Amino acid sequence: MLYKLRLIYHTAMQYLPVVAVWWALFVSGAGIGWWIGSAVIIFILNVYGFGIAFHHTFSHRTFTFNRPIEIALMYIGTCATLVAPLTWAVTHMAHHRYVDTEDDPHAPSTLGWKILFFINHAPKKYSALSCRHLIKDEAHLWFDSHIGYWTTVISFPLLCFLVGGLYGLVFLWAIPTFYVLLTGMIFALAHYGETNEFGHKARDSWVLSLFSFGDGNHLRHHSEWNYTGWFHRKCALLIGREYQRK
């Protein structure tokens, strides 16, 4: 039941912030400072939380960070995606393993209109062993617990409200969260189209590249799991290093 509640919250946050975006644009009269603040939070959540942490580090082990930074990235990524890092990584690896089949957690060809709601993106088949490097980690297990998950996702809007009241809630939480979830949806829709030479429908997208800050070479990523866009790689190496595989 509690896990279902997570999925419902995740799905609701796909679309509820649209009201906040409308209010920010047409009612708030907010100054440029709030929009700059929103853009900064969007960048941090999208590039470091969603892209570098959840996608390229926790799932594909492309980068490694010292422990305090790694835990900070766990927090930022959970705030960004509204999914715990362990759950996200297991689901993503299932996507790679079963890409564009009925067992793919987010394949447009099988989900149809249901792809528009994250509650339908739970994997039917998955292997926890694909993320055994996370299962052994007590911090990852805490973030994946119900206490860890709700503590994280509730603390983010609370902090934003304490910083700026209603404006903080809208510009620092609702709009950035909506942006990241929209980016995640575009990643899923990058599998809409004709089958390519690799036997699946992943494709590069300038729209995806725009929303993800340059991480739009989705076709290449599926053929080279450790491939990371130039900008994301530079940002990752500012605070960490390449993971050395044994």
Side-chain angles (χ1 to χ4, degrees), residues 96-133:
H96 274 273
R97 184 171 185 178
Y98 302 111
V99 60
D100 294 323
T101 70
E102 62 180 9
D103 295 317
D104 185 341
H106 39 254
S109 59
T110 57
L111 284 179
W113 64 268
K114 292 182 178 180
I115 196 174
L116 298 177
F117 300 93
F118 283 141
I119 198 168
N120 298 307
H121 291 202
K124 298 175 183 177
K125 290 184 179 180
Y126 62 90
S127 172
L129 292 177
S130 65
C131 296
R132 55 185 175 273
H133 58 293

Side-chain angles (χ1 to χ4, degrees), residues 39 59 80 188 205 218:
S59 296
S205 167
H218 202 58

Side-chain angles (χ1 to χ4, degrees), residues 131-174:
C131 296
R132 55 185 175 273
H133 58 293
L134 304 183
I135 294 173
K136 301 175 182 178
D137 191 310
E138 291 185 3
H140 276 287
L141 293 176
W142 185 84
F143 274 93
D144 205 58
S145 70
H146 293 303
I147 292 175
Y149 174 81
W150 289 111
T151 298
T152 302
V153 299
I154 292 173
S155 68
F156 182 34
L158 178 60
L159 287 171
C160 293
F161 182 76
L162 290 175
V163 168
L166 179 60
Y167 280 80
L169 204 59
V170 169
F171 286 93
L172 306 182
W173 173 65

Side-chain angles (χ1 to χ4, degrees), residues 4-230:
K4 196 73 171 181
L5 187 60
R6 293 197 210 183
L7 293 178
I8 292 171
Y9 176 71
H10 188 194
T11 301
M13 286 302 296
Q14 282 182 269
Y15 301 107
L16 287 180
V18 172
V19 178
V21 173
W22 175 85
W23 182 85
L25 288 170
F26 303 109
V27 179
S28 72
I32 188 65
W34 283 110
W35 290 103
I36 293 174
S38 191
V40 170
I41 299 299
I42 285 172
F43 174 82
I44 294 172
L45 293 182
N46 207 321
V47 173
Y48 281 100
F50 176 71
I52 292 172
F54 273 43
H55 191 189
H56 296 297
T57 299
F58 300 145
S59 296
H60 295 300
R61 305 181 77 179
T62 305
F63 306 105
T64 186
F65 304 93
N66 65 41
R67 191 58 170 173
I69 291 178
E70 183 182 12
I71 292 175
L73 289 174
M74 292 180 201
Y75 177 81
I76 293 169
T78 304
C79 292
T81 66
L82 305 182
V83 181
L86 177 56
T87 296
W88 197 97
V90 168
T91 302
H92 184 70
M93 296 310 290
H95 163 63
H96 274 273
R97 184 171 185 178
Y98 302 111
V99 60
D100 294 323
T101 70
E102 62 180 9
D103 295 317
D104 185 341
H106 39 254
S109 59
T110 57
L111 284 179
W113 64 268
K114 292 182 178 180
I115 196 174
L116 298 177
F117 300 93
F118 283 141
I119 198 168
N120 298 307
H121 291 202
K124 298 175 183 177
K125 290 184 179 180
Y126 62 90
S127 172
L129 292 177
S130 65
C131 296
R132 55 185 175 273
H133 58 293
L134 304 183
I135 294 173
K136 301 175 182 178
D137 191 310
E138 291 185 3
H140 276 287
L141 293 176
W142 185 84
F143 274 93
D144 205 58
S145 70
H146 293 303
I147 292 175
Y149 174 81
W150 289 111
T151 298
T152 302
V153 299
I154 292 173
S155 68
F156 182 34
L158 178 60
L159 287 171
C160 293
F161 182 76
L162 290 175
V163 168
L166 179 60
Y167 280 80
L169 204 59
V170 169
F171 286 93
L172 306 182
W173 173 65
I175 293 177
T177 301
F178 174 68
Y179 187 97
V180 176
L181 296 184
L182 181 60
T183 302
M185 180 58 65
I186 296 172
F187 264 98
L189 292 173
H191 285 267
Y192 181 81
E194 299 296 327
T195 302
N196 55 48
E197 64 267 33
F198 299 104
H200 55 74
K201 299 180 180 181
R203 60 178 178 173
D204 297 338
S205 167
W206 68 266
V207 176
L208 178 55
S209 183
L210 179 65
F211 274 84
S212 64
F213 295 86
D215 203 26
N217 293 329
H218 202 58
L219 172 58
R220 182 172 178 183
H221 171 65
H222 270 270
S223 61
E224 303 174 39
W225 285 12
N226 287 331
Y227 172 77
T228 310
W230 174 85

